[in-house]
Amino acid sequence: MTRPYLIGVTGNIACGKSAVMSMLRDHGATIIDGDLVYRDLTGPGSPLVQQLADVFGNEIANDDGSLNRKALGDIVFSDPEALYRLDHLTHPAVVDEVLRRIDLAPTPVVATEGVKLIESGLGDQCDEIWVVMCDPARQRERLVATRGLSQEEADRRIASQPPLGEKLARADIVIANDGTLDELRAQVGAAWMRSGASRVVG
């Protein structure tokens, strides 16, 4: 069986990757959300959570063995070295699971997304890479509004992200998400028509 055509969607936090993924689903792609894969892998009784607890302390694990994301975030988003260690531990497991799900996809096109799609090595498996970007002020606004972060916490999250330039250097398609949802939908539709994925779907 031929592997599906794979679109990798990346971009820094709160730039609108999830909205773009939803629109790609409307165009016929199977969606694999890297963050949801990570949540599945760090659920109750997860061996990955135990590995993380051994490195970062038992406070990052809830009583049921699932990951306490806030406790872990408080550690890694203020310490670049800790964030590097976290990535080193989690990226291989997430990438393996994403690739497994790609192989099971029922459609000829799959879209997967992640902030560190390129840094994790998953970008090397993609047929094309879409980068979603927006103004940092919009990122901060969205983090405060949708995740309940303070402006200081939001700024720490934004500062902890990999440089956008590295993503743009690998981009086949760039989506600028500073406008309305309708404007975003129009951009995604135009990008889909330019994409090799549209030819695969027919």
Side-chain angles (χ1 to χ4, degrees), residues 111-182:
T112 186
E113 68 91 10
V115 167
K116 296 186 176 178
L117 179 101
I118 293 169
E119 294 82 358
S120 70
L122 184 56
D124 295 335
Q125 304 289 328
C126 296
D127 294 291
E128 60 187 49
I129 293 174
W130 293 26
V131 174
V132 187
M133 59 184 294
C134 71
D135 184 84
R138 297 297 290 275
Q139 287 178 271
R140 185 184 305 110
E141 177 184 306
R142 289 168 182 161
L143 285 170
V144 171
T146 64
R147 305 196 191 185
L149 301 181
S150 68
Q151 290 210 2
E152 293 76 16
E153 289 172 322
D155 287 339
R156 277 201 301 274
R157 296 287 179 98
I158 293 168
S160 74
Q161 303 284 289
L164 188 61
E166 295 177 11
K167 293 178 170 58
L168 292 173
R170 294 282 302 274
D172 297 290
I173 288 174
V174 177
I175 303 290
N177 184 25
D178 287 309
T180 67
L181 201 57
D182 284 342

Short mmCIF file of all heavy atoms in Angstrom, two decimals, residues 111-182:
data_model
loop_
_atom_site.label_atom_id
_atom_site.label_comp_id
_atom_site.label_asym_id
_atom_site.label_seq_id
_atom_site.Cartn_x
_atom_site.Cartn_y
_atom_site.Cartn_z
N ALA A 111 -2.59 15.28 6.93
CA ALA A 111 -1.94 16.49 7.45
C ALA A 111 -1.63 16.25 8.92
O ALA A 111 -2.49 15.82 9.68
CB ALA A 111 -2.84 17.71 7.29
N THR A 112 -0.40 16.52 9.30
CA THR A 112 -0.02 16.41 10.71
C THR A 112 0.62 17.73 11.12
O THR A 112 1.20 18.43 10.29
CB THR A 112 0.95 15.23 10.94
OG1 THR A 112 1.18 15.08 12.35
CG2 THR A 112 2.29 15.44 10.24
N GLU A 113 0.47 18.08 12.39
CA GLU A 113 0.99 19.38 12.82
C GLU A 113 1.74 19.28 14.12
O GLU A 113 1.51 18.38 14.93
CB GLU A 113 -0.14 20.41 12.94
CG GLU A 113 -1.14 20.17 14.05
CD GLU A 113 -0.77 20.86 15.35
OE1 GLU A 113 0.16 21.69 15.38
OE2 GLU A 113 -1.40 20.53 16.36
N GLY A 114 2.66 20.22 14.31
CA GLY A 114 3.40 20.32 15.55
C GLY A 114 4.27 21.55 15.53
O GLY A 114 4.81 21.93 14.49
N VAL A 115 4.42 22.18 16.69
CA VAL A 115 5.30 23.34 16.81
C VAL A 115 6.72 22.94 16.39
O VAL A 115 7.43 23.69 15.71
CB VAL A 115 5.29 23.88 18.26
CG1 VAL A 115 6.42 24.87 18.47
CG2 VAL A 115 3.96 24.54 18.57
N LYS A 116 7.14 21.74 16.80
CA LYS A 116 8.51 21.29 16.52
C LYS A 116 8.53 20.16 15.50
O LYS A 116 9.31 19.22 15.59
CB LYS A 116 9.19 20.90 17.83
CG LYS A 116 9.34 22.11 18.75
CD LYS A 116 10.15 21.81 19.98
CE LYS A 116 10.33 23.09 20.80
NZ LYS A 116 11.07 22.86 22.06
N LEU A 117 7.67 20.27 14.51
CA LEU A 117 7.61 19.29 13.43
C LEU A 117 8.97 19.12 12.77
O LEU A 117 9.42 17.99 12.52
CB LEU A 117 6.59 19.76 12.40
CG LEU A 117 6.40 18.87 11.19
CD1 LEU A 117 5.14 18.02 11.35
CD2 LEU A 117 6.30 19.68 9.90
N ILE A 118 9.65 20.22 12.49
CA ILE A 118 10.95 20.17 11.83
C ILE A 118 12.03 19.72 12.81
O ILE A 118 12.83 18.83 12.52
CB ILE A 118 11.28 21.54 11.22
CG1 ILE A 118 10.31 21.84 10.08
CG2 ILE A 118 12.72 21.60 10.73
CD1 ILE A 118 10.37 23.27 9.57
N GLU A 119 12.03 20.30 14.01
CA GLU A 119 13.07 20.00 14.98
C GLU A 119 13.03 18.54 15.44
O GLU A 119 14.06 17.96 15.79
CB GLU A 119 12.92 20.93 16.20
CG GLU A 119 13.18 22.40 15.89
CD GLU A 119 11.99 23.13 15.27
OE1 GLU A 119 10.93 22.51 15.04
OE2 GLU A 119 12.13 24.35 15.02
N SER A 120 11.84 17.94 15.41
CA SER A 120 11.71 16.55 15.85
C SER A 120 12.17 15.55 14.80
O SER A 120 12.32 14.36 15.08
CB SER A 120 10.24 16.25 16.18
OG SER A 120 9.45 16.24 15.00
N GLY A 121 12.36 16.01 13.57
CA GLY A 121 12.70 15.13 12.47
C GLY A 121 11.51 14.69 11.65
O GLY A 121 11.67 14.11 10.57
N LEU A 122 10.30 14.93 12.15
CA LEU A 122 9.11 14.51 11.42
C LEU A 122 8.98 15.24 10.09
O LEU A 122 8.46 14.71 9.12
CB LEU A 122 7.86 14.72 12.28
CG LEU A 122 6.53 14.24 11.71
CD1 LEU A 122 6.58 12.76 11.34
CD2 LEU A 122 5.39 14.51 12.71
N GLY A 123 9.47 16.48 10.05
CA GLY A 123 9.41 17.24 8.80
C GLY A 123 10.11 16.54 7.65
O GLY A 123 9.74 16.72 6.48
N ASP A 124 11.12 15.73 7.96
CA ASP A 124 11.85 15.01 6.91
C ASP A 124 10.98 13.95 6.23
O ASP A 124 11.32 13.48 5.14
CB ASP A 124 13.10 14.34 7.50
CG ASP A 124 14.10 15.36 8.02
OD1 ASP A 124 14.09 16.51 7.53
OD2 ASP A 124 14.89 15.01 8.91
N GLN A 125 9.89 13.56 6.89
CA GLN A 125 8.99 12.55 6.33
C GLN A 125 7.88 13.19 5.47
O GLN A 125 7.13 12.47 4.81
CB GLN A 125 8.33 11.75 7.47
CG GLN A 125 9.30 11.08 8.42
CD GLN A 125 10.02 9.91 7.78
OE1 GLN A 125 9.46 9.23 6.92
NE2 GLN A 125 11.25 9.67 8.19
N CYS A 126 7.80 14.52 5.49
CA CYS A 126 6.68 15.20 4.84
C CYS A 126 6.96 15.45 3.36
O CYS A 126 8.09 15.73 2.97
CB CYS A 126 6.40 16.53 5.54
SG CYS A 126 5.86 16.36 7.26
N ASP A 127 5.91 15.39 2.57
CA ASP A 127 6.02 15.72 1.16
C ASP A 127 6.06 17.23 0.95
O ASP A 127 6.66 17.70 -0.02
CB ASP A 127 4.84 15.12 0.39
CG ASP A 127 4.90 13.60 0.38
OD1 ASP A 127 5.81 13.05 -0.26
OD2 ASP A 127 4.06 12.96 1.06
N GLU A 128 5.43 17.97 1.85
CA GLU A 128 5.54 19.42 1.83
C GLU A 128 5.26 19.96 3.22
O GLU A 128 4.59 19.31 4.03
CB GLU A 128 4.60 20.05 0.80
CG GLU A 128 3.14 19.77 1.01
CD GLU A 128 2.29 20.30 -0.16
OE1 GLU A 128 2.63 20.02 -1.32
OE2 GLU A 128 1.29 20.98 0.12
N ILE A 129 5.80 21.14 3.49
CA ILE A 129 5.66 21.76 4.81
C ILE A 129 4.97 23.11 4.67
O ILE A 129 5.36 23.93 3.83
CB ILE A 129 7.04 21.92 5.48
CG1 ILE A 129 7.62 20.54 5.81
CG2 ILE A 129 6.94 22.79 6.74
CD1 ILE A 129 9.02 20.56 6.35
N TRP A 130 3.91 23.28 5.46
CA TRP A 130 3.19 24.54 5.53
C TRP A 130 3.55 25.22 6.85
O TRP A 130 3.49 24.59 7.91
CB TRP A 130 1.68 24.32 5.49
CG TRP A 130 1.13 23.78 4.21
CD1 TRP A 130 1.77 23.02 3.27
CD2 TRP A 130 -0.20 23.95 3.74
NE1 TRP A 130 0.92 22.72 2.24
CE2 TRP A 130 -0.31 23.27 2.50
CE3 TRP A 130 -1.33 24.60 4.23
CZ2 TRP A 130 -1.48 23.22 1.77
CZ3 TRP A 130 -2.50 24.57 3.50
CH2 TRP A 130 -2.58 23.88 2.27
N VAL A 131 3.91 26.47 6.79
CA VAL A 131 4.22 27.25 8.00
C VAL A 131 3.13 28.29 8.21
O VAL A 131 2.84 29.08 7.30
CB VAL A 131 5.60 27.92 7.90
CG1 VAL A 131 5.84 28.83 9.12
CG2 VAL A 131 6.70 26.86 7.83
N VAL A 132 2.54 28.28 9.40
CA VAL A 132 1.52 29.26 9.78
C VAL A 132 2.19 30.28 10.69
O VAL A 132 2.83 29.92 11.68
CB VAL A 132 0.34 28.59 10.51
CG1 VAL A 132 -0.78 29.60 10.74
CG2 VAL A 132 -0.18 27.39 9.72
N MET A 133 2.03 31.54 10.36
CA MET A 133 2.67 32.58 11.17
C MET A 133 1.68 33.71 11.45
O MET A 133 0.67 33.85 10.76
CB MET A 133 3.91 33.12 10.45
CG MET A 133 3.64 33.72 9.08
SD MET A 133 5.16 34.25 8.23
CE MET A 133 5.69 35.58 9.29
N CYS A 134 1.99 34.49 12.48
CA CYS A 134 1.20 35.69 12.77
C CYS A 134 2.04 36.64 13.59
O CYS A 134 3.13 36.29 14.06
CB CYS A 134 -0.10 35.33 13.49
SG CYS A 134 0.09 34.78 15.19
N ASP A 135 1.53 37.83 13.78
CA ASP A 135 2.23 38.85 14.56
C ASP A 135 2.33 38.40 16.02
O ASP A 135 1.37 37.86 16.58
CB ASP A 135 1.45 40.17 14.47
CG ASP A 135 2.16 41.29 15.18
OD1 ASP A 135 3.05 41.90 14.56
OD2 ASP A 135 1.85 41.54 16.36
N PRO A 136 3.48 38.60 16.70
CA PRO A 136 3.62 38.20 18.10
C PRO A 136 2.54 38.78 19.01
O PRO A 136 2.14 38.14 19.99
CB PRO A 136 5.01 38.71 18.48
CG PRO A 136 5.77 38.71 17.19
CD PRO A 136 4.75 39.10 16.14
N ALA A 137 2.08 39.97 18.72
CA ALA A 137 1.02 40.56 19.55
C ALA A 137 -0.25 39.74 19.46
O ALA A 137 -0.98 39.58 20.45
CB ALA A 137 0.75 42.00 19.12
N ARG A 138 -0.55 39.17 18.28
CA ARG A 138 -1.71 38.30 18.13
C ARG A 138 -1.50 37.00 18.88
O ARG A 138 -2.44 36.44 19.46
CB ARG A 138 -1.99 38.02 16.64
CG ARG A 138 -2.33 39.24 15.81
CD ARG A 138 -3.62 39.92 16.27
NE ARG A 138 -4.81 39.14 15.98
CZ ARG A 138 -5.45 39.17 14.82
NH1 ARG A 138 -4.98 39.87 13.81
NH2 ARG A 138 -6.56 38.48 14.66
N GLN A 139 -0.27 36.47 18.84
CA GLN A 139 0.03 35.26 19.61
C GLN A 139 -0.28 35.49 21.09
O GLN A 139 -0.94 34.67 21.74
CB GLN A 139 1.51 34.88 19.48
CG GLN A 139 1.92 34.30 18.16
CD GLN A 139 3.40 34.00 18.13
OE1 GLN A 139 4.21 34.86 17.77
NE2 GLN A 139 3.77 32.81 18.54
N ARG A 140 0.24 36.58 21.63
CA ARG A 140 0.03 36.89 23.04
C ARG A 140 -1.45 37.03 23.36
O ARG A 140 -1.95 36.48 24.35
CB ARG A 140 0.78 38.18 23.40
CG ARG A 140 0.73 38.53 24.89
CD ARG A 140 1.41 39.86 25.17
NE ARG A 140 2.77 39.89 24.67
CZ ARG A 140 3.17 40.62 23.63
NH1 ARG A 140 2.29 41.39 22.97
NH2 ARG A 140 4.42 40.61 23.24
N GLU A 141 -2.16 37.75 22.50
CA GLU A 141 -3.60 37.96 22.68
C GLU A 141 -4.36 36.63 22.72
O GLU A 141 -5.23 36.41 23.57
CB GLU A 141 -4.10 38.84 21.54
CG GLU A 141 -5.57 39.14 21.51
CD GLU A 141 -5.93 39.93 20.25
OE1 GLU A 141 -5.31 40.98 20.02
OE2 GLU A 141 -6.80 39.48 19.50
N ARG A 142 -4.00 35.73 21.81
CA ARG A 142 -4.69 34.43 21.76
C ARG A 142 -4.35 33.56 22.96
O ARG A 142 -5.22 32.87 23.51
CB ARG A 142 -4.30 33.71 20.46
CG ARG A 142 -4.90 34.35 19.22
CD ARG A 142 -4.28 33.81 17.95
NE ARG A 142 -4.82 34.45 16.76
CZ ARG A 142 -4.23 34.46 15.58
NH1 ARG A 142 -3.06 33.84 15.42
NH2 ARG A 142 -4.79 35.05 14.55
N LEU A 143 -3.10 33.59 23.41
CA LEU A 143 -2.71 32.79 24.57
C LEU A 143 -3.43 33.26 25.83
O LEU A 143 -3.87 32.44 26.65
CB LEU A 143 -1.20 32.86 24.78
CG LEU A 143 -0.35 32.03 23.82
CD1 LEU A 143 1.12 32.38 23.97
CD2 LEU A 143 -0.57 30.54 24.06
N VAL A 144 -3.54 34.56 25.99
CA VAL A 144 -4.24 35.10 27.15
C VAL A 144 -5.73 34.77 27.08
O VAL A 144 -6.34 34.34 28.07
CB VAL A 144 -4.01 36.62 27.25
CG1 VAL A 144 -4.92 37.24 28.32
CG2 VAL A 144 -2.54 36.93 27.56
N ALA A 145 -6.32 34.91 25.89
CA ALA A 145 -7.77 34.72 25.75
C ALA A 145 -8.17 33.25 25.79
O ALA A 145 -9.19 32.89 26.39
CB ALA A 145 -8.24 35.34 24.43
N THR A 146 -7.39 32.36 25.15
CA THR A 146 -7.82 30.97 25.01
C THR A 146 -7.24 30.03 26.06
O THR A 146 -7.82 28.98 26.32
CB THR A 146 -7.47 30.42 23.61
OG1 THR A 146 -6.05 30.40 23.46
CG2 THR A 146 -8.09 31.29 22.53
N ARG A 147 -6.10 30.39 26.64
CA ARG A 147 -5.46 29.48 27.60
C ARG A 147 -5.40 30.04 29.01
O ARG A 147 -4.88 29.39 29.91
CB ARG A 147 -4.05 29.11 27.13
CG ARG A 147 -4.05 28.53 25.71
CD ARG A 147 -2.79 27.81 25.38
NE ARG A 147 -2.73 27.50 23.96
CZ ARG A 147 -1.76 26.78 23.40
NH1 ARG A 147 -0.77 26.31 24.15
NH2 ARG A 147 -1.78 26.53 22.09
N GLY A 148 -5.90 31.26 29.18
CA GLY A 148 -5.96 31.83 30.51
C GLY A 148 -4.60 32.19 31.09
O GLY A 148 -4.45 32.28 32.32
N LEU A 149 -3.61 32.40 30.24
CA LEU A 149 -2.28 32.76 30.72
C LEU A 149 -2.21 34.25 31.02
O LEU A 149 -2.93 35.04 30.42
CB LEU A 149 -1.22 32.40 29.69
CG LEU A 149 -1.10 30.94 29.26
CD1 LEU A 149 0.02 30.79 28.24
CD2 LEU A 149 -0.87 30.02 30.44
N SER A 150 -1.34 34.61 31.95
CA SER A 150 -1.04 36.03 32.12
C SER A 150 -0.18 36.49 30.94
O SER A 150 0.39 35.66 30.20
CB SER A 150 -0.27 36.26 33.42
OG SER A 150 1.03 35.69 33.33
N GLN A 151 -0.06 37.79 30.75
CA GLN A 151 0.78 38.29 29.66
C GLN A 151 2.23 37.85 29.86
O GLN A 151 2.92 37.52 28.88
CB GLN A 151 0.69 39.81 29.58
CG GLN A 151 -0.66 40.29 29.10
CD GLN A 151 -0.59 41.61 28.34
OE1 GLN A 151 0.47 42.18 28.13
NE2 GLN A 151 -1.74 42.11 27.91
N GLU A 152 2.69 37.81 31.12
CA GLU A 152 4.07 37.39 31.39
C GLU A 152 4.26 35.92 31.02
O GLU A 152 5.27 35.54 30.42
CB GLU A 152 4.41 37.61 32.86
CG GLU A 152 4.48 39.08 33.28
CD GLU A 152 3.10 39.72 33.43
OE1 GLU A 152 2.09 38.98 33.51
OE2 GLU A 152 3.03 40.96 33.45
N GLU A 153 3.29 35.06 31.38
CA GLU A 153 3.37 33.64 31.03
C GLU A 153 3.33 33.46 29.52
O GLU A 153 4.07 32.65 28.96
CB GLU A 153 2.23 32.87 31.68
CG GLU A 153 2.34 32.72 33.18
CD GLU A 153 1.08 32.12 33.79
OE1 GLU A 153 -0.03 32.46 33.33
OE2 GLU A 153 1.22 31.31 34.72
N ALA A 154 2.45 34.21 28.87
CA ALA A 154 2.35 34.13 27.41
C ALA A 154 3.67 34.51 26.76
O ALA A 154 4.13 33.84 25.82
CB ALA A 154 1.22 35.02 26.91
N ASP A 155 4.29 35.57 27.26
CA ASP A 155 5.57 36.00 26.70
C ASP A 155 6.65 34.94 26.89
O ASP A 155 7.50 34.73 26.01
CB ASP A 155 6.02 37.32 27.32
CG ASP A 155 5.20 38.52 26.83
OD1 ASP A 155 4.58 38.40 25.75
OD2 ASP A 155 5.18 39.55 27.52
N ARG A 156 6.63 34.25 28.04
CA ARG A 156 7.60 33.18 28.27
C ARG A 156 7.39 32.04 27.28
O ARG A 156 8.35 31.47 26.76
CB ARG A 156 7.51 32.65 29.71
CG ARG A 156 8.27 33.47 30.72
CD ARG A 156 8.56 32.69 31.97
NE ARG A 156 7.36 32.19 32.62
CZ ARG A 156 6.64 32.89 33.49
NH1 ARG A 156 7.01 34.13 33.81
NH2 ARG A 156 5.56 32.38 34.06
N ARG A 157 6.14 31.67 27.04
CA ARG A 157 5.84 30.60 26.08
C ARG A 157 6.32 30.98 24.68
O ARG A 157 6.92 30.16 23.98
CB ARG A 157 4.34 30.31 26.05
CG ARG A 157 3.76 29.79 27.36
CD ARG A 157 4.16 28.36 27.63
NE ARG A 157 3.61 27.88 28.89
CZ ARG A 157 2.51 27.15 29.00
NH1 ARG A 157 1.83 26.80 27.91
NH2 ARG A 157 2.09 26.75 30.19
N ILE A 158 6.04 32.22 24.29
CA ILE A 158 6.45 32.67 22.96
C ILE A 158 7.97 32.68 22.83
O ILE A 158 8.53 32.22 21.83
CB ILE A 158 5.86 34.07 22.67
CG1 ILE A 158 4.33 33.98 22.56
CG2 ILE A 158 6.45 34.65 21.39
CD1 ILE A 158 3.65 35.34 22.56
N ALA A 159 8.65 33.16 23.88
CA ALA A 159 10.11 33.24 23.85
C ALA A 159 10.77 31.87 23.82
O ALA A 159 11.91 31.74 23.33
CB ALA A 159 10.61 34.03 25.06
N SER A 160 10.08 30.85 24.32
CA SER A 160 10.66 29.51 24.37
C SER A 160 10.58 28.78 23.03
O SER A 160 11.17 27.71 22.87
CB SER A 160 9.96 28.67 25.44
OG SER A 160 8.65 28.27 25.02
N GLN A 161 9.87 29.35 22.06
CA GLN A 161 9.67 28.69 20.78
C GLN A 161 10.93 28.76 19.92
O GLN A 161 11.73 29.69 20.03
CB GLN A 161 8.52 29.36 20.02
CG GLN A 161 7.21 29.40 20.78
CD GLN A 161 6.51 28.06 20.79
OE1 GLN A 161 6.00 27.62 19.79
NE2 GLN A 161 6.51 27.40 21.94
N PRO A 162 11.11 27.77 19.04
CA PRO A 162 12.25 27.83 18.12
C PRO A 162 12.12 29.04 17.19
O PRO A 162 11.02 29.50 16.92
CB PRO A 162 12.13 26.52 17.32
CG PRO A 162 11.22 25.64 18.11
CD PRO A 162 10.31 26.55 18.86
N PRO A 163 13.23 29.54 16.67
CA PRO A 163 13.18 30.70 15.76
C PRO A 163 12.32 30.40 14.54
O PRO A 163 12.43 29.33 13.94
CB PRO A 163 14.65 30.91 15.37
CG PRO A 163 15.44 30.26 16.45
CD PRO A 163 14.61 29.11 16.94
N LEU A 164 11.47 31.34 14.18
CA LEU A 164 10.58 31.14 13.04
C LEU A 164 11.35 31.02 11.73
O LEU A 164 10.93 30.33 10.80
CB LEU A 164 9.57 32.28 12.95
CG LEU A 164 8.45 32.13 11.92
CD1 LEU A 164 7.61 30.89 12.22
CD2 LEU A 164 7.58 33.38 11.90
N GLY A 165 12.51 31.67 11.67
CA GLY A 165 13.30 31.65 10.45
C GLY A 165 13.67 30.25 10.01
O GLY A 165 13.73 29.95 8.80
N GLU A 166 13.93 29.36 10.96
CA GLU A 166 14.29 27.98 10.63
C GLU A 166 13.11 27.27 9.96
O GLU A 166 13.30 26.45 9.05
CB GLU A 166 14.72 27.23 11.89
CG GLU A 166 15.99 27.78 12.52
CD GLU A 166 16.36 27.06 13.81
OE1 GLU A 166 15.75 26.01 14.10
OE2 GLU A 166 17.26 27.55 14.52
N LYS A 167 11.92 27.58 10.41
CA LYS A 167 10.72 26.98 9.80
C LYS A 167 10.50 27.55 8.40
O LYS A 167 10.22 26.82 7.45
CB LYS A 167 9.50 27.24 10.68
CG LYS A 167 9.51 26.53 12.02
CD LYS A 167 8.28 26.90 12.82
CE LYS A 167 8.11 26.04 14.07
NZ LYS A 167 9.26 26.10 14.98
N LEU A 168 10.62 28.87 8.28
CA LEU A 168 10.38 29.50 6.98
C LEU A 168 11.37 29.01 5.92
O LEU A 168 11.03 28.92 4.74
CB LEU A 168 10.45 31.02 7.13
CG LEU A 168 9.32 31.65 7.95
CD1 LEU A 168 9.60 33.14 8.15
CD2 LEU A 168 7.98 31.45 7.26
N ALA A 169 12.58 28.67 6.36
CA ALA A 169 13.58 28.19 5.41
C ALA A 169 13.18 26.84 4.82
O ALA A 169 13.64 26.48 3.73
CB ALA A 169 14.94 28.08 6.10
N ARG A 170 12.32 26.10 5.52
CA ARG A 170 11.89 24.79 5.04
C ARG A 170 10.49 24.82 4.43
O ARG A 170 9.99 23.80 3.95
CB ARG A 170 11.87 23.80 6.22
CG ARG A 170 13.23 23.48 6.82
CD ARG A 170 14.01 22.49 5.98
NE ARG A 170 13.28 21.24 5.80
CZ ARG A 170 13.32 20.22 6.68
NH1 ARG A 170 14.04 20.33 7.79
NH2 ARG A 170 12.65 19.11 6.44
N ALA A 171 9.87 25.99 4.43
CA ALA A 171 8.45 26.07 4.04
C ALA A 171 8.25 25.93 2.54
O ALA A 171 8.96 26.55 1.74
CB ALA A 171 7.86 27.40 4.51
N ASP A 172 7.27 25.12 2.16
CA ASP A 172 6.78 25.09 0.79
C ASP A 172 5.63 26.08 0.62
O ASP A 172 5.45 26.64 -0.46
CB ASP A 172 6.29 23.68 0.44
CG ASP A 172 7.43 22.67 0.48
OD1 ASP A 172 8.30 22.73 -0.39
OD2 ASP A 172 7.44 21.83 1.42
N ILE A 173 4.87 26.26 1.69
CA ILE A 173 3.74 27.19 1.69
C ILE A 173 3.74 27.96 3.01
O ILE A 173 3.96 27.36 4.08
CB ILE A 173 2.40 26.43 1.50
CG1 ILE A 173 2.29 25.94 0.06
CG2 ILE A 173 1.19 27.30 1.88
CD1 ILE A 173 1.11 25.05 -0.24
N VAL A 174 3.53 29.27 2.96
CA VAL A 174 3.45 30.11 4.16
C VAL A 174 2.05 30.70 4.25
O VAL A 174 1.55 31.27 3.29
CB VAL A 174 4.50 31.23 4.14
CG1 VAL A 174 4.35 32.14 5.36
CG2 VAL A 174 5.92 30.65 4.08
N ILE A 175 1.43 30.53 5.41
CA ILE A 175 0.10 31.06 5.67
C ILE A 175 0.23 32.16 6.72
O ILE A 175 0.72 31.91 7.83
CB ILE A 175 -0.86 29.97 6.20
CG1 ILE A 175 -0.96 28.79 5.23
CG2 ILE A 175 -2.23 30.56 6.52
CD1 ILE A 175 -1.69 29.07 3.95
N ALA A 176 -0.17 33.39 6.38
CA ALA A 176 -0.12 34.51 7.32
C ALA A 176 -1.49 34.67 7.96
O ALA A 176 -2.45 35.06 7.29
CB ALA A 176 0.29 35.78 6.60
N ASN A 177 -1.58 34.37 9.25
CA ASN A 177 -2.87 34.35 9.93
C ASN A 177 -3.04 35.56 10.84
O ASN A 177 -3.10 35.44 12.06
CB ASN A 177 -3.01 33.04 10.73
CG ASN A 177 -4.37 32.92 11.39
OD1 ASN A 177 -5.34 33.51 10.93
ND2 ASN A 177 -4.44 32.14 12.46
N ASP A 178 -3.11 36.73 10.24
CA ASP A 178 -3.34 37.96 11.01
C ASP A 178 -4.70 38.57 10.74
O ASP A 178 -5.03 39.61 11.30
CB ASP A 178 -2.25 38.99 10.68
CG ASP A 178 -0.90 38.63 11.28
OD1 ASP A 178 -0.85 38.35 12.48
OD2 ASP A 178 0.09 38.62 10.53
N GLY A 179 -5.48 37.94 9.87
CA GLY A 179 -6.76 38.51 9.50
C GLY A 179 -7.94 37.73 10.06
O GLY A 179 -7.86 37.13 11.13
N THR A 180 -9.03 37.72 9.30
CA THR A 180 -10.25 37.06 9.74
C THR A 180 -10.19 35.57 9.40
O THR A 180 -9.35 35.11 8.62
CB THR A 180 -11.47 37.68 9.05
OG1 THR A 180 -11.40 37.38 7.64
CG2 THR A 180 -11.52 39.18 9.26
N LEU A 181 -11.15 34.84 9.95
CA LEU A 181 -11.26 33.41 9.66
C LEU A 181 -11.55 33.19 8.17
O LEU A 181 -11.02 32.24 7.56
CB LEU A 181 -12.35 32.78 10.52
CG LEU A 181 -12.30 31.26 10.73
CD1 LEU A 181 -10.97 30.84 11.34
CD2 LEU A 181 -13.47 30.83 11.60
N ASP A 182 -12.37 34.04 7.58
CA ASP A 182 -12.67 33.92 6.15
C ASP A 182 -11.43 34.15 5.31
O ASP A 182 -11.22 33.47 4.30
CB ASP A 182 -13.78 34.90 5.75
CG ASP A 182 -15.16 34.45 6.21
OD1 ASP A 182 -15.30 33.24 6.53
OD2 ASP A 182 -16.07 35.28 6.26
#
